[in-house]
Each structure stands twice: as structure tokens, then as C-alpha cells.
Amino acid sequence: MNDNKRQKVVILGSGWAGYSFARTLDPAKFDRIVISPRGYFVFTPLLASTSVGTLEFRAVLEPVRRLPGGVRFYQGWADDVDFSQKVIRVEANAVDGLPSELQSSTVPVKKEAVKKEAAKKGEVFDVEYDKLVIAVGAYSQTFGIPGVREHAHFLRDVGDARRIRLRVLSLFEQCSYPTPADSSDTHVAKGSLSEADKRSLLHFVIVGGGPTGIEFAAELHDLIHEDLKKLYPELVPLVRITVYDIAPKVLPMFDQALAQYAMDTFARQGIQVRTEHHLERVRIADGLLGSAHGGMSIKIKEYSDEVNAGLVVWSTGLMQNPFVEHLVGKEFAVAQDKELQKPEDARPHRLVKDAKTGGILTDAYLRARITDSETSQPHDAAAAAGGTSSKPVMPDVFVIGDCAVNEGDRSLPKTAQVAAQQAGYLAKQLNKATQNGSLDAVDVGSAWKPFKFRNWGTLTYLGGWKAIHQSSADELRGWVAWVVWRGAYLTRSMSLRNKMMVPVYWFVSWVFGRDISRF
Amino acid sequence: MNDNKRQKVVILGSGWAGYSFARTLDPAKFDRIVISPRGYFVFTPLLASTSVGTLEFRAVLEPVRRLPGGVRFYQGWADDVDFSQKVIRVEANAVDGLPSELQSSTVPVKKEAVKKEAAKKGEVFDVEYDKLVIAVGAYSQTFGIPGVREHAHFLRDVGDARRIRLRVLSLFEQCSYPTPADSSDTHVAKGSLSEADKRSLLHFVIVGGGPTGIEFAAELHDLIHEDLKKLYPELVPLVRITVYDIAPKVLPMFDQALAQYAMDTFARQGIQVRTEHHLERVRIADGLLGSAHGGMSIKIKEYSDEVNAGLVVWSTGLMQNPFVEHLVGKEFAVAQDKELQKPEDARPHRLVKDAKTGGILTDAYLRARITDSETSQPHDAAAAAGGTSSKPVMPDVFVIGDCAVNEGDRSLPKTAQVAAQQAGYLAKQLNKATQNGSLDAVDVGSAWKPFKFRNWGTLTYLGGWKAIHQSSADELRGWVAWVVWRGAYLTRSMSLRNKMMVPVYWFVSWVFGRDISRF
């Protein structure tokens, strides 16, 4: 590999967009440099399975450094980009003993805390790029609801899944201590839980009826009814699982019949679904229930009384990454590039922010749009109509995934599927472009076709070996969809190692039960 | 199962002694009640393998609640025993979010902290027993050396292994950031590590040349030279592994030829072994190396200068559990039991403490010895000569494993092998005893033979697919011993699940490399 001849492509982020891009980009042609606060990609569709022990955590992780063909990796936060000098400022984030709990890219509060810590202690360094791919994703949006950030669990990183798993198993363990009436051979001295307390702690609340929330509810139901039932038989009758959503129906991406099938399945399993319910607050419950056991009281607008719960999982809403907010807010002089030789390019510019979502606007080739900073004209009114406008772009800066808004189709959802397709499109275009010989041919030319999203369909697991699947071509439900669900996940974005291990774990969990060691 | 007819056997501890006993005791005849601060048994011989990612953590864990035949389990600390009333006071320890890091049974400082916390917040309750088996193990002994408790890692629980693994991978990640001289395309702004700093952080120190320390050094060497070498090629030349021991030779349980073979193997692998070296202090290194990277400076008596290191693993010495100290210190009236009808039994008694180790003295049937508290005569002078003296015992209290000292053979080492054999002996005797019909026949009668330890031999892994094995019958070295090493571990004390999974992990690690995701 001729390091001096290959262009340096710096990729910010190791999620669906960043990792899929890095995986597809040809290392023989490009020097891949990944910068991310975490050293691995998370295969998110199976994250809920790890949170209940069906799968090992590692089965859904792909280490960035193991990308075939060699990759440079810096574990850290991209702090700033100097678009004129084509340099990224990075804050190191490999500090020792920092558990994944604090490395989650999904919880701004914690992230900021970590960032500050790293800034105080760690290294800051600059990395140059020839091409930059911004794929930093989005954060969980809590809409300012009090207590969600502090007391609810997210389910976006493997650290989240581990925390949820520990919490669920801990709750069963805490409720398994004797109560005064339990038996004659144990005498409770102090601080014991009443049956009502146990019902409170064994109430599992999920906020958000999208696929993540629904799948977590389903996996949790399986864990409780297939495994914990044998180990804590006396506790299972006390368990409740409730999904709250503000919308009139859950799973909005499925048509009415499939969503109804999901609701019927849940109803048979005893999982309560409460649509048009609004969470207003989460707080630690009063008394021993809260102080000793972490029980919570949640306020639902539609109910006069608070509802107690032992676990609240928050799986609704995304907001922009603060790094993206920083980037779209700053002015910079456009780098001297031969594609930008119009007079106005000498003036300071800004990235164009999508007014609705706050994301970075791109043209149909996923290049970052820029606007003249002085006149503050967004330059994208025409472009919004679609297609390849002649408005200025940064030819060497691409934006993909949750933080990007493609002016060709602004309605694309923030999903793994969109991110992965954008990543694959961009990497393949770049791979092709350099086959023409000159590295300058990497720049978008007539050879590029605009990015176009293809809906591969949506799959959601419903528990009890049932799933639903919807695509433009077909609809499936029940165990057939379950087979498709399991099969589909084996063919996607996984290393051979995990393609082998995931079925092994499925088999072992099926034969021996899910692992229930709490560590 | 007739709960009212089965005797309640309460087992304190879930290590080699407690878990092996519970596993062997017949649940049809006894009501098994396990009380332990952790809900699982750790298969310690493979713990070092998990600390480097060769095996999954869960592959060395066996959940107590999954014991076949049904078991009652209370996660908590035994706080006190009322031998007169035959009641154990338990402090609950299933508080939420308590990571295994704090549940380790090996680190008194942390344990005490946790205990206090639990006492403040949690439940306290009493559990009655008919028979009590004390198997609470021992703590790590640090001989009061400053800084060991705070800065060194132990390797006795799965939480320890996880922390070590995170630290090792974090150190490589921290050292992989660019240094000023590294390349032209990165510019270090502040806080960068010099090459000397990196050498310091990549110095891995093991204190204690017993099998645990030697195996960890070997596994770490394999991780670095089989896996990390490919991912951090520039860092591997900076790595050093050093084993310090105060004795003139390591692996004292092996004969000279095998120990020498081990030393020669290590020498070829570049692992330094420093015998007759005395650690005097561990402290955080000065400057950025310490404050930002957790680097340590250790003082060795034989060197004038301190030695820097990024990781210190402490694997030498055991001390008595504070719970055992509490038990041997307290007076109690002996329960009215028909075996103890001599006049002096009405007076207060104490357990007999082994003067040398502080453990609880047992007779050759593993029953706790007691002594007359007023006269303070240890009653065990005669018994020390071996065999079954007529000195008093608690007929319903057994002590096994690291906290027990068998008066029949006081020289038995504190090893998994001894603990497992004592556990198996005791459970089988109890199982047999009740076959006579009456439950009272459980009491030791003429049918019991004294416990006798059989040395099954010792195995130690040396890295690079080599091991040594020594027993009374044979000696093995090299890859043959390695095959025995791997084979032996599959046949011991493991669930079928882990018997299946361990070879799968070995295979996967061999083909794809060890997992290196840091989470």
C-alpha cells in the first residue's frame, strides 16, 4: 500500500453509516481513518436480544480495528473541523476504566461529562483529511421531560443493553427475598418488600411503540416467561409489561393489519399497550421502594395517580448531535478547490442546516451543501425541489446517516437501513471513481448517479417466535416472519465470526435457556 | 419434594467449596439454601482466559439458581450466625446497578464499602438451618503493602477479569494516538505521550509467581503476540511483561525440572521473571502519565529507582474473611443436641481458631471444632495429632474450603482442588447417611470415614500452546500438557452448556482471533 499516494478518507463515527462506509471503501485505493468515541460498530437490530441474554453482547459488536485491509483508528470525539485547512481536531477518549456506560454515543448528558473529563485529562490532536465523511449519528431526544435523562434507560449502545440486563435481573433478585408471610423458617428483620412493592418493581415500562420498543417488550416477555418463570415462579404473576405511546397506533411503519396483528399478539401475551398516553415525568419513588430499590413513579397525563415501575426504557425520538449543531453554526473560508472558482466562494461560508431537523443538508451525491455566510441565503430553495442543483457544495465533505438530510428526498427516515444504503452508495462511487486512474477523479463527475433509497422492508419481532415483515413486495406474519427475521439478520453487515456465533447462541439459549448470571 | 421432611441445609458461599457441595448434595433429600453475595460460581482455572478475551466471561460462570433439582438462593452477605438458635442473619445484596466490580468477594475494602451501603439501604433477614455449611472462602492478602489495594488488580472474580481486560485494551488504545514524530498528517496539540511514556504504560506487571500469576502472564503474552500485534504493530516492540516473586523460584508446587521448563519457555517468549524481588509500594505515577493515563510507579526493594507500569496484577496471598474472624471471636451457648451431653457443654463455647492461619478448625469429618469458652482451652492439642479425637464439635456445622483447617491434615493448601474434594466428600456422606431412613442418621456415625485429600495433580498454562502438568503418577510438558490442560478443564465442575461453549470459544478465538471490543 502506497500511503503517500492513497487519499486519506477520514470517517467520523462508527455506527451504521460510518462503519458500513468504512467496510465498503476499498483500502487498496484509500487510506481509511476512522475517528469515533467507541471502537466498535453495534449491530443494533439484535441489541434487544443481548439485553435479555439471548445473545452475548459481543455477538452484536464488530471492532473497527478488525476491518479487513487495515484501517487507522483513533478513539475520540471529533471536536471541530477546519474545512479550510482540511483538519479535524480530536479529543482522545480511550481513558482507562471508562466503562461503556459512559461511552455511549446516545446520552448527551453523560457524553458531555465524559468529554469534559477527557478534555481535562487527555490528549488533543489534529488529523488531516483529503475526503471527510461525517457520520456522527443522532442523540436520543427526551423532549425535556423531567427525569427521563436521569432515570430511564436508552437502548442504543451495548452499554445500554448491559445496564438494562443488570437491572432486570437485579429486580427479580431483590424481589426474591422473603417477605414476612412467605415461610415459617425466615424472619424478616427490617426493610422487607410487601407484595405491592414487588408488583411495583416488577412493572416494566417501555416508552415508545416503534420497532425498538416493541422488540424489547417482546424479548423481555420471552425472558420472563421462558426462563425466569422457572427460577422465580412465585414472582412471575406479579410481572407487568406496559408500552406507552403518544400516537394513536404503534409501529406506524407497518400497515394497519400487521400492526393489529402485533397488538393482538401482545394482548395474548399479556403485554399492555397504551396508545395516546403521554409521559410527563419520571422520578424516584417515595420511601424504601425508591431509596433502596430504585423504584420509580411515573406521571402519565391521562392518569390522575402516578404509576410505579422498576424499569423505564425510553425508545422514542432523536435529536441532533451537538457536534453537528456546532458545525452548522460556524463560518469558514472555503478551501481553494478548482470546482469552486466563482467569486463568491472567497467569502466565508457555512454548512446549510435543514430547518426542520437541524441536520446537515447534502446534495443528491451526499456532499455537504454550503451557503454564503454574508448574504445568509440558504442556496437550497431550488435544490429542495430535488436533483443536482448548481448551488455550492463542499466537494470533499460528505454527510451520511442520521445527521444528514438529503435534499433529493428530505423525508427519508433516520434508520439503519437508510444509513447503510447511503454508506454503501458513497463508498462504491468512490471506489469506482478512482478506477479511472487519477485520484482527482474521485471528485463527483458525470459518472455519479444520485443516491436513491430502496425500501428493503421492515421486520419486527413480537415474542413467542412470531414476527411481522413488510416490504413493497410482500407481508408476512407469525413464525414464517420469525424465520425471515432470524435469517435476515445473519446476512447483514456482520463479520463471519458473528454470523457463526449468533446461531450458536440462539441454539444454546433455546436448549439451555438464556444466561441469567448478573455480572 | 416434601419440604417439611427434608432437612434445611444452608450453604454460605458459592465458590469451589459451596457450589460444589450444593451441586453434589441430593435435592430430593435436602432442602438446599445457598446464601452468597454473588449469584454464580466462577470456574477460576479459566478466569485468566476470560481476562484476555479467549473465552467469554459467561463461559466460566454457573448460576446458582440453575442448579438442577431446585435450590433456594438469597443473594446477600451472611452477617452473623446464632449457633444456639440455628439462625443466620443475612444482609441483602441485590441492589440495583451494583456492578460485579463491587460484588467481588475478594477485595475487602470494596466489600466493606458495599456492605455498609447495603446495610444502609437494604433488607436484613434471618434464615434458619438444620445443617450449616460454612464455605465463605478467603480474601486476597496484600500484607499491608501501600497502594496494592487501591491500584493493583486482583484476579479472583469475573469482575476482576473484566476490569483487567478493559485496562489492557485501553492501554493499547491510549498508546495508539499519534506522537509528534509519528507522521506528517497529524499534529499533536497537547498532552501527547512520548515513546518512553508508552513503554511505561505497556509494562504489565504481575506480582506472584503461582499458577494464577504465571497463567495470566502467559495468556496476556498470547493476546499480545497473536492478536494485538496485528492491530497495533507499532506498539508491540514497546511491550514488556514482568513477573515478580519474593521466593527463589516460581511455581513452587512443581518440581525443579518442570519449573525450569516454565522459566525457559517464558524466557523465549520474552516474559521476564524476577524471583527474590520484593514489592514495597504501588503509587500513581507523576505527571500526565499518572493523572491522565493511570500509569503507576512501583517500588521494588532490590532496585533503587521505581519501575513504571500500566497494569499491576496481584496474585499472591490469602487472608481470612472478616466474617470468619467474627465467628471465631464470638461466644455462644451450644445448641441442645443429644451428642453433646457432657456437663461442660452447658457453658458458653467458641469455635476453635487455627492459630497459624486464622481459619476455623474442623475434625476429620469437617465438623466445626468448639472449645470451652471459660477455660479457653483450645481442646485441639490432642486433635492436632490427627484423627478423630473425642473433643467437642458442632455436629450440625461444617466448614470447608479456604476458611477451614482440617485437624487431620493442617498442611492442605488453599486450592480449588482441596475445596472441591471436601465439598464432594461432605455432600456424599450426607447423601449416604440419609439413605438409612431416619434424618437423624445424618449426624456423623460409624458409617463416616475421615476426609482424605487425593492430589489430582497440577496443571499450568505457559502460553504458546504449551503447558506443564504434574501429578504423583506423571509429568508432562509442552503441547501434550497443553492438550491435557484444555481437556481437563472440560470435564470439571461445568454445566453442559459451558462444556459445549468453551470449545466453541476456543475454536472461534483460534480462527478469528480473540475479541478486542472494549465495552
Side-chain angles (χ1 to χ4, degrees):
Chain A
M1 288 186 285
N2 310 314
D3 266 1
N4 296 332
K5 290 183 186 164
R6 292 183 305 162
Q7 279 208 343
K8 285 189 282 285
V9 179
V10 173
I11 302 141
L12 303 183
S14 59
W16 276 99
Y19 182 79
S20 305
F21 174 79
R23 194 173 190 250
T24 312
L25 193 69
D26 187 346
K29 294 174 181 164
F30 297 96
D31 183 10
R32 300 175 297 179
I33 305 169
V34 177
I35 296 169
S36 173
R38 62 185 190 198
Y40 49 79
F41 161 70
V42 181
F43 191 80
T44 47
L46 293 179
L47 200 53
S49 297
T50 69
S51 73
V52 300
T54 310
L55 291 177
E56 265 297 342
F57 296 117
R58 281 179 206 168
V60 302
L61 301 184
E62 303 290 347
V64 172
R65 286 187 182 273
R66 281 260 163 85
L67 276 173
V71 63
R72 275 196 281 168
F73 174 69
Y74 296 120
Q75 184 159 4
W77 308 98
D79 218 33
D80 204 356
V81 180
D82 182 338
F83 294 109
S84 311
Q85 299 299 316
K86 303 179 86 166
V87 165
I88 301 143
R89 173 140 299 191
V90 181
E91 282 186 23
N93 178 40
V95 277
D96 152 58
L98 194 71
S100 61
E101 282 76 321
L102 294 176
Q103 287 174 359
S104 164
S105 64
T106 64
V107 188
V109 173
K110 287 187 179 159
K111 181 170 178 173
E112 289 310 307
V114 169
K115 231 175 138 173
K116 224 190 260 168
E117 190 67 6
K120 201 179 65 194
K121 294 161 78 181
E123 293 165 64
V124 175
F125 54 91
D126 293 344
V127 178
E128 290 181 0
Y129 66 85
D130 294 313
K131 303 274 173 211
L132 175 64
V133 178
I134 300 173
V136 295
Y139 280 11
S140 289
Q141 166 71 280
T142 60
F143 307 107
I145 297 172
V148 170
R149 199 65 75 194
E150 297 84 350
H151 306 306
H153 290 256
F154 299 86
L155 186 46
R156 297 193 61 204
D157 196 357
V158 69
D160 301 329
R162 182 167 185 265
R163 273 195 305 277
I164 288 174
R165 184 170 179 282
L166 289 173
R167 177 69 183 160
V168 170
L169 296 174
S170 165
L171 285 168
F172 275 84
E173 205 60 55
Q174 289 177 55
C175 291
S176 73
Y177 294 125
T179 49
D182 256 11
S183 66
S184 59
D185 57 304
T186 55
H187 310 279
V188 177
K190 76 167 180 90
S192 74
L193 291 168
S194 67
E195 194 181 291
D197 289 336
K198 292 184 179 182
R199 281 184 194 276
S200 291
L201 288 178
L202 296 176
H203 184 206
F204 300 96
V205 166
I206 294 104
V207 183
T212 304
I214 293 296
E215 286 198 347
F216 173 71
E219 295 267 10
L220 182 63
H221 176 270
D222 284 358
L223 168 69
I224 291 167
H225 289 269
E226 293 174 9
D227 295 282
L228 300 184
K229 196 174 190 166
K230 294 171 200 153
L231 305 174
Y232 307 87
E234 74 287 1
L235 295 180
V236 169
L238 310 179
V239 170
R240 272 178 309 150
I241 302 176
T242 309
V243 180
Y244 294 105
D245 200 305
I246 55 169
K249 75 189 259 286
V250 295
L251 297 174
M253 61 291 296
F254 287 92
D255 72 21
Q256 186 57 41
L258 285 181
Q260 191 55 49
Y261 174 82
M263 289 310 87
D264 294 345
T265 305
F266 269 26
R268 268 198 306 278
Q269 293 170 348
I271 302 173
Q272 300 174 317
V273 179
R274 299 281 176 261
T275 52
E276 297 183 293
H277 278 61
H278 297 75
L279 180 72
E280 291 188 326
R281 188 185 63 219
V282 183
R283 65 177 181 95
I284 294 293
D286 298 326
L288 212 58
L289 185 68
S291 66
H293 301 278
M296 283 161 283
S297 293
I298 63 177
K299 179 73 184 78
I300 303 286
K301 188 179 155 195
E302 285 72 18
Y303 301 152
S304 55
D305 291 340
E306 285 177 304
V307 178
N308 286 335
L311 174 79
V312 177
V313 173
W314 178 267
S315 70
T316 180
L318 292 176
M319 60 181 265
Q320 279 310 328
N321 193 314
F323 173 68
V324 168
E325 281 175 26
H326 169 74
L327 286 189
V328 294
K330 66 176 275 181
E331 278 187 0
F332 54 89
V334 169
Q336 295 310 311
D337 207 300
K338 63 186 178 313
E339 278 210 357
L340 296 165
Q341 284 162 351
K342 282 156 281 173
E344 69 265 30
D345 296 335
R347 289 178 303 190
H349 279 71
R350 288 177 191 271
L351 296 180
V352 180
K353 177 176 171 177
D354 177 63
K356 193 175 154 207
T357 66
I360 302 170
L361 201 72
T362 72
D363 70 0
Y365 306 112
L366 311 182
R367 299 178 297 184
R369 278 263 174 242
I370 50 175
T371 181
D372 184 317
S373 190
E374 276 179 27
T375 59
S376 272
Q377 286 170 7
H379 275 306
D380 65 324
T388 57
S389 83
S390 61
K391 293 286 181 279
V393 294
M394 299 277 284
D396 43 20
V397 177
F398 303 88
V399 193
I400 57 178
D402 288 356
C403 62
V405 176
N406 184 331
E407 67 182 17
D409 183 357
R410 293 189 190 219
S411 66
L412 286 180
K414 290 185 164 128
T415 62
Q417 213 175 102
V418 171
Q421 288 190 25
Q422 289 180 335
Y425 160 83
L426 185 61
K428 281 177 196 155
Q429 295 294 341
L430 289 173
N431 289 345
K432 249 191 288 184
T434 48
Q435 286 172 340
N436 301 338
S438 160
L439 283 173
D440 292 333
V442 169
D443 299 336
V444 176
S446 55
W448 286 45
K449 281 184 191 141
F451 170 73
K452 216 172 143 46
F453 175 67
R454 274 183 198 78
N455 192 339
W456 293 331
T458 310
L459 275 165
T460 297
Y461 180 57
L462 299 177
W465 303 34
K466 289 192 179 67
I468 48 178
H469 173 242
Q470 178 155 48
S471 73
S472 50
D474 56 46
E475 282 183 11
L476 297 172
R477 64 186 75 181
W479 67 267
V480 181
W482 177 83
V483 170
V484 172
W485 177 75
R486 291 231 155 164
Y489 287 155
L490 286 181
T491 61
R492 300 267 178 86
S493 271
M494 266 191 194
S495 60
L496 184 57
R497 174 202 198 104
N498 281 338
K499 275 184 187 148
M500 275 184 51
M501 289 308 288
V502 165
V504 169
Y505 289 126
W506 279 336
F507 176 76
V508 168
S509 293
W510 176 60
V511 174
F512 298 105
R514 292 170 182 81
D515 180 79
I516 51 105
S517 297
R518 189 160 61 90
F519 81 97
Chain B
M1 289 186 284
N2 309 314
D3 266 0
N4 296 333
K5 289 184 188 166
R6 292 184 303 163
Q7 280 208 342
K8 284 189 282 284
V9 178
V10 173
I11 302 141
L12 303 184
S14 59
W16 275 99
Y19 182 79
S20 304
F21 174 80
R23 194 173 191 251
T24 312
L25 193 69
D26 186 346
K29 294 174 180 164
F30 297 97
D31 183 10
R32 299 175 299 179
I33 305 169
V34 177
I35 297 170
S36 173
R38 62 185 191 198
Y40 48 79
F41 161 71
V42 181
F43 191 79
T44 47
L46 293 178
L47 200 52
S49 296
T50 70
S51 73
V52 299
T54 309
L55 292 176
E56 265 298 342
F57 296 117
R58 280 178 206 167
V60 302
L61 300 184
E62 303 290 348
V64 172
R65 286 187 182 271
R66 281 259 163 86
L67 276 173
V71 64
R72 276 196 280 168
F73 174 70
Y74 296 121
Q75 185 160 2
W77 308 98
D79 218 31
D80 203 357
V81 179
D82 181 339
F83 293 110
S84 312
Q85 299 299 316
K86 302 178 87 167
V87 165
I88 300 143
R89 173 140 299 192
V90 181
E91 282 185 24
N93 179 41
V95 277
D96 153 56
L98 193 71
S100 61
E101 282 76 321
L102 294 177
Q103 288 175 358
S104 164
S105 64
T106 63
V107 188
V109 173
K110 288 186 176 159
K111 181 169 179 173
E112 289 310 306
V114 169
K115 230 174 139 174
K116 223 190 263 169
E117 190 66 7
K120 201 180 66 194
K121 295 161 76 181
E123 293 165 64
V124 175
F125 54 92
D126 293 344
V127 179
E128 291 181 0
Y129 66 85
D130 294 312
K131 302 274 173 214
L132 175 64
V133 177
I134 300 174
V136 295
Y139 280 11
S140 289
Q141 166 70 280
T142 61
F143 308 106
I145 297 172
V148 170
R149 198 66 74 196
E150 297 84 350
H151 307 304
H153 289 256
F154 299 87
L155 187 46
R156 298 193 60 203
D157 196 359
V158 69
D160 301 329
R162 184 167 185 265
R163 272 196 304 276
I164 288 175
R165 184 170 178 282
L166 289 173
R167 177 69 182 161
V168 170
L169 296 175
S170 165
L171 285 168
F172 275 85
E173 205 60 54
Q174 288 177 55
C175 291
S176 73
Y177 295 125
T179 49
D182 256 11
S183 65
S184 58
D185 56 304
T186 55
H187 310 278
V188 177
K190 74 168 181 93
S192 74
L193 292 168
S194 67
E195 194 181 292
D197 289 336
K198 293 184 179 181
R199 280 184 195 278
S200 292
L201 288 177
L202 296 176
H203 184 207
F204 300 97
V205 166
I206 294 104
V207 184
T212 304
I214 293 294
E215 285 197 348
F216 173 71
E219 295 266 10
L220 182 63
H221 176 269
D222 283 0
L223 168 69
I224 292 167
H225 289 270
E226 292 174 9
D227 296 282
L228 300 184
K229 196 174 190 167
K230 294 172 199 151
L231 305 174
Y232 307 87
E234 74 286 2
L235 295 181
V236 169
L238 310 179
V239 170
R240 271 178 309 151
I241 302 175
T242 309
V243 180
Y244 294 105
D245 200 304
I246 53 169
K249 76 189 259 284
V250 295
L251 298 173
M253 60 290 297
F254 288 92
D255 71 22
Q256 185 57 42
L258 284 181
Q260 191 55 49
Y261 174 81
M263 290 309 89
D264 294 345
T265 305
F266 270 26
R268 270 197 305 279
Q269 293 171 348
I271 301 173
Q272 299 174 316
V273 178
R274 298 280 177 264
T275 51
E276 297 183 291
H277 279 61
H278 298 75
L279 180 72
E280 292 189 325
R281 189 186 63 218
V282 183
R283 66 176 182 94
I284 293 293
D286 298 325
L288 213 59
L289 185 68
S291 65
H293 301 278
M296 282 161 284
S297 292
I298 63 178
K299 178 74 185 79
I300 303 286
K301 187 178 156 196
E302 284 72 17
Y303 302 152
S304 54
D305 292 340
E306 285 176 306
V307 178
N308 286 334
L311 175 78
V312 177
V313 173
W314 179 266
S315 70
T316 181
L318 292 176
M319 60 181 265
Q320 280 309 327
N321 193 314
F323 173 68
V324 168
E325 280 174 28
H326 169 73
L327 287 190
V328 294
K330 67 178 274 180
E331 279 187 358
F332 54 88
V334 168
Q336 296 310 311
D337 207 300
K338 63 188 178 314
E339 280 212 357
L340 296 167
Q341 285 163 349
K342 282 156 280 173
E344 69 266 30
D345 295 336
R347 287 179 303 191
H349 279 71
R350 288 177 190 271
L351 295 181
V352 180
K353 178 175 170 176
D354 177 63
K356 193 176 155 209
T357 65
I360 302 170
L361 200 73
T362 73
D363 71 359
Y365 305 111
L366 312 182
R367 299 178 297 184
R369 278 263 174 242
I370 50 175
T371 182
D372 184 317
S373 191
E374 277 177 29
T375 58
S376 272
Q377 285 170 8
H379 274 307
D380 66 325
T388 57
S389 82
S390 61
K391 293 286 182 279
V393 293
M394 299 277 283
D396 44 20
V397 178
F398 302 88
V399 193
I400 56 178
D402 287 355
C403 63
V405 176
N406 185 330
E407 66 183 16
D409 183 357
R410 291 187 191 222
S411 66
L412 286 180
K414 290 183 166 136
T415 62
Q417 212 175 103
V418 171
Q421 289 190 24
Q422 290 180 334
Y425 160 84
L426 185 61
K428 281 177 195 153
Q429 294 295 343
L430 289 173
N431 289 345
K432 247 191 291 183
T434 48
Q435 285 173 342
N436 302 337
S438 159
L439 282 173
D440 293 333
V442 169
D443 298 337
V444 175
S446 55
W448 286 45
K449 281 183 192 141
F451 170 73
K452 216 172 143 46
F453 175 66
R454 273 183 201 81
N455 191 340
W456 293 332
T458 311
L459 276 165
T460 298
Y461 180 57
L462 300 177
W465 303 35
K466 290 192 178 68
I468 49 178
H469 173 243
Q470 178 155 49
S471 74
S472 48
D474 57 48
E475 282 183 12
L476 295 172
R477 61 185 77 180
W479 68 267
V480 181
W482 178 83
V483 170
V484 172
W485 178 76
R486 291 228 154 165
Y489 287 155
L490 286 180
T491 60
R492 299 268 178 85
S493 270
M494 266 191 195
S495 60
L496 184 57
R497 176 203 197 101
N498 281 337
K499 276 183 186 148
M500 274 185 50
M501 290 307 288
V502 165
V504 169
Y505 289 126
W506 279 337
F507 176 75
V508 168
S509 293
W510 175 60
V511 174
F512 298 105
R514 292 170 180 82
D515 181 77
I516 50 106
S517 297
R518 189 159 61 90
F519 81 97

